[in-house]
């Protein structure tokens, strides 16, 4: 008596990443003259019957082990695609068909769909910005946002976060501080994760501030005037005198703009060599971009070079002397010989530093042993002094 065919093992459920190859096994005993068929249940498609491939899908094939006591029929799928997922049915064509199922899970790494995701955006300061990021994959990916420099994302004025979850990121009333690159990161547990970099540019008219609006400098010294700028897009920067005549680079003047960090910041400088009386007056730094323009003024005025101060005790210092001056000391008249300053040296543009030097000089007590002022000492060539005091009788 012939026994009816039976399945000898279950079909294992398999999980496979897209692009890999896979095979499903169906083991049968007592097959006799019956045949084994493979079907895709969700697609209601007959794939193979016995040794023949029925489907037109070139990625499908079938093999079986003739020498195995329990013959095993293998369904092969190469380069697995997401649409291949689902239930696969192995069937024996007995009078009442015998069937069993195995499930194929196909996992797909995330992929960001550029066609429905945001690209780089340019907005005006104070506007709202909405960034979108759509991704496909299996399982469906989750989306999170980060700033490329790892600073916080300002969702609103009162809500800043390091990460934001969701397909959409909305920034309210953006400012220049929100400018930069934002990363949309898609993950679903199937490596690799993917990201898209979206650059947000915030346009605003130039703004500037001046560290020192009054700059004192003696005749013959070099000086540098400075203006700090914030602007986006990058501004066109230049200097003028009070007659609005633009200053060009020459032996007398040198202009430069130094980029800052972040990129919307910069410093513009005007170097003036060997200041003469005709150089005193108002200088304007001007910045223009497509969103607007602004300017600021600096007044350059004449000041005296730092002075020397006499020490308060009688002493003698021997050195070379180019010139002599007479000073009143607490103990009577004294003479001090010092050199003149080298007028070719660069002079500090902040007049407040001169004030501080003079203040230090006025604070010198009779017991302190000082021969020359610190400022003079810093800028002088080699000097020697001969000092004598006469104490009153």
């Amino acid at each position: 008596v012939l026994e009816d065919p039976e399945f000898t093992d279950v079909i294992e459920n398999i999980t496979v990443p897209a692009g890999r190859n896979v095979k499903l096994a169906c083991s049968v005993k007592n097959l006799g003259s019956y045949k084994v068929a493979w079907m895709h249940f969700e697609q209601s498609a007959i794939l193979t019957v016995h040794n023949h491939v029925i489907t037109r899908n070139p990625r499908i094939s079938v093999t079986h082990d003739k020498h195995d006591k329990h013959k095993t029929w293998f369904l092969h799928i190469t380069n697995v695609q997401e649409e291949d997922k689902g239930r696969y049915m192995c069937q024996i064509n007995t009078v009442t068909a015998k069937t069993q199922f195995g499930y194929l899970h196909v996992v797909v790494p995330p992929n960001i769909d550029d066609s429905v995701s945001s690209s780089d955006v340019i907005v005006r300061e104070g506007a709202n910005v909405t960034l979108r990021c759509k991704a496909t994959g299996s399982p469906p990916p989750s989306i999170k946002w980060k700033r490329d420099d790892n600073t916080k994302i300002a969702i609103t004025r009162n809500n800043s976060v390091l990460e934001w979850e969701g397909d959409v990121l909305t920034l309210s009333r953006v400012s220049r501080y929100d400018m930069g690159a934002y990363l949309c990161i898609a993950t679903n547990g199937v490596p690799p994760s993917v990201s898209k970099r979206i650059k947000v540019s915030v346009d605003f008219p130039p703004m500037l501030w001046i560290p020192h609006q009054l700059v004192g400098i003696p005749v013959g010294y070099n000086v540098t005037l400075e203006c700090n700028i914030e602007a986006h897009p990058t501004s066109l920067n230049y200097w003028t005198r009070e007659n609005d005549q633009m200053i060009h680079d020459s032996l007398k003047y040198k202009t430069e703009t130094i980029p800052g960090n972040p990129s919307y910041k910069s410093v513009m400088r005007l170097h003036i060599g060997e200041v003469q009386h005709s150089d005193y007056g108002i200088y304007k730094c001007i910045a223009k971009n497509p969103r607007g323009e602004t300017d600021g003024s600096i007044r350059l005025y004449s000041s005296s070079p730092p002075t020397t101060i006499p020490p308060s005790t009688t002493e003698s210092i021997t050195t070379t002397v180019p010139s002599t001056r007479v000073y009143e000391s607490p103990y009577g008249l004294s003479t001090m010989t010092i050199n003149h300053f080298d007028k070719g040296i660069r002079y500090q543009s902040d007049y407040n530093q001169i004030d501080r030097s003079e203040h230090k000089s006025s604070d010198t007590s009779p017991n302190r042993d000082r021969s020359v002022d610190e400022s003079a000492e810093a800028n002088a060539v080699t000097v020697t002094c001969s000092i004598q005091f006469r104490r009153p009788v």
Side-chain angles (χ1 to χ4, degrees), residues 77-113:
I77 309 172
T78 59
N79 189 22
V80 171
Q81 303 298 309
E82 189 175 5
E83 60 265 25
D84 296 328
K85 69 181 179 181
R87 286 181 292 176
Y88 284 80
M89 182 172 68
C90 177
Q91 186 178 78
I92 305 171
N93 65 338
T94 51
V95 175
T96 302
K98 294 184 177 182
T99 60
Q100 66 172 353
F101 295 90
Y103 198 93
L104 178 64
H105 297 269
V106 179
V107 293
V108 182
N111 179 62
I112 295 174
D113 188 345

Side-chain angles (χ1 to χ4, degrees), residues 191-257:
S193 299
V194 292
S195 65
K196 178 180 174 69
R197 190 174 185 267
I198 303 172
K199 186 178 179 181
V200 175
S201 299
V202 181
D203 283 2
F204 57 93
M207 297 175 60
L208 64 83
W209 69 97
I210 300 170
H212 310 294
Q213 291 181 303
L214 297 173
V215 178
I217 192 75
V219 170
Y221 286 83
N222 301 333
V223 67
T224 296
L225 309 182
E226 190 171 282
C227 292
N228 295 316
I229 303 170
E230 291 187 6
H232 195 271
T234 302
S235 56
L236 171 67
N237 307 322
Y238 61 95
W239 293 85
T240 67
R241 293 294 303 266
E242 54 260 49
N243 57 5
D244 293 330
Q245 183 177 359
M246 187 183 297
I247 296 174
H248 299 283
D249 280 7
S250 63
L251 294 176
K252 182 72 173 177
Y253 299 111
K254 181 186 175 185
T255 61
E256 63 176 337
T257 298

